[in-house]
Amino acid sequence: MDRLYQELKEDSYQPLPVRQHPIPKRDKPGEFRMLGIPAIYDRVCQQALLNRLEPIFEPIFDDASFGYRRGRSTKDALRKIWKEIQSGSEWIVDADPETFSAPWITKSFSLW
C-alpha cells in the first residue's frame, strides 16, 4: 500500500495490461465477448480510489443515474423508467459516454 500511495502521490502509477479472457455470449453459440481481468495491484488501486471518491460524489449524483453505482441495479433503473412514464414524462435518455460523440448530439447538448 505504501508503494501504491507513493506512485499515486508522485503521479507515476502505471496500470498493468489487462488480461483478456473470452466468455461465451448467451444465446449466441460460437460468439464470445472479452472479459478484462485487471492485475490485483490495479484492483487494489481502483478500490482505494473508489473508497476515497465515492463518499464525495455519491451525494451529488442524480437520483436517476444508475450506471456503476453501488446498490443500484438494472431492475431499479427499469422501475424508475416505468414510474416516469406513468407520471407523464415524455423524455427518457439512455447515454453511453464512450459512444456519445455524434456531432449533432454534442452540439445539441452544448446549447443547454
Side-chain angles (χ1 to χ4, degrees), residues 10 18 29 31 36-37 40 46 49 51-52 68 70 73-74 78 81-82 84 88 91 102 104-107 111:
E10 296 167 0
V18 174
E31 290 189 34
I37 305 169
I40 292 174
Q46 291 169 6
L49 291 172
N51 292 347
R52 182 74 175 125
Y68 302 101
R70 188 180 312 217
S73 68
T74 303
L78 290 171
I81 290 169
W82 282 114
E84 293 297 323
W91 286 83
W104 66 271
I105 293 175
T106 308
K107 186 176 181 180
L111 296 176

Side-chain angles (χ1 to χ4, degrees), residues 22-92:
I23 303 292
K25 286 188 174 182
R26 183 185 299 167
D27 301 325
K28 293 186 178 180
E31 290 189 34
F32 296 86
R33 66 178 182 86
M34 297 307 287
L35 174 67
I37 305 169
I40 292 174
Y41 188 72
D42 295 329
R43 276 296 294 133
V44 169
C45 179
Q46 291 169 6
Q47 191 62 50
L49 291 172
L50 178 68
N51 292 347
R52 182 74 175 125
L53 296 175
E54 188 177 52
I56 296 167
F57 290 101
E58 185 63 29
I60 62 174
F61 283 156
D62 192 289
D63 284 340
S65 174
F66 291 87
Y68 302 101
R69 290 179 68 190
R70 188 180 312 217
R72 292 176 178 247
S73 68
T74 303
K75 288 182 182 180
D76 294 329
L78 290 171
R79 281 188 205 99
K80 174 70 172 166
I81 290 169
W82 282 114
K83 183 178 175 184
E84 293 297 323
I85 289 171
Q86 290 170 343
S87 72
S89 292
E90 295 181 18
W91 286 83
I92 296 172

